[in-house]
C-alpha cells in the first residue's frame, strides 16, 4: 500500500501483541494489538489511512477477520 501511495516506509516497524480476551460466552478468544511505528515524514492522518488500508489487504488480517478483535495503534 505504501508503494501505491509512493510513501517511503523503510524505517517503519510493526509489533504484534497477542492476548486472550473474553468471548462473551464464558470462554476466551485471541485478540491482537498491532503497534505501527511510521517515519516522522508521514503525518497522523496519512499514517492512519495507510495502516487501515494495509490491514484490509493483508493476507493474515483477511484470514483472521471476524475471528478475533484487532486494535490498530499508530505510534
Amino acid at each position: 500500500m505504501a508503494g501505491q501511495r509512493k510513501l517511503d516506509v523503510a524505517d517503519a516497524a510493526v509489533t504484534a501483541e497477542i492476548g486472550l480476551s473474553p468471548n462473551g460466552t464464558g470462554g476466551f478468544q485471541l485478540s491482537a494489538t498491532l503497534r505501527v511505528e511510521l517515519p516522522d515524514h508521514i503525518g497522523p492522518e496519512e499514517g492512519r489511512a495507510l495502516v487501515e488500508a494495509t490491514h484490509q489487504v493483508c493476507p493474515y488480517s483477511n484470514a483472521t477477520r471476524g475471528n478475533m478483535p484487532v486494535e490498530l495503534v499508530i505510534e
Side-chain angles (χ1 to χ4, degrees), residues 31-55:
S31 60
T33 300
L34 301 176
R35 296 188 182 280
V36 182
E37 294 178 52
L38 295 171
D40 291 338
H41 67 273
I42 298 177
E45 289 180 23
E46 186 175 34
R48 165 88 30 210
L50 174 64
V51 170
E52 289 177 357
T54 302
H55 183 54

Side-chain angles (χ1 to χ4, degrees), residues 54-74:
T54 302
H55 183 54
Q56 290 304 309
V57 299
C58 170
Y60 184 80
S61 295
N62 286 331
T64 61
R65 187 167 286 115
N67 296 320
M68 61 188 282
V70 177
E71 178 184 8
L72 302 173
V73 176
I74 292 114

Side-chain angles (χ1 to χ4, degrees), residues 16-24 26-33 67-71:
E17 299 171 359
I18 306 300
L20 293 174
S21 60
N23 67 3
F28 294 91
Q29 64 184 358
L30 291 174
S31 60
T33 300
N67 296 320
M68 61 188 282
V70 177
E71 178 184 8

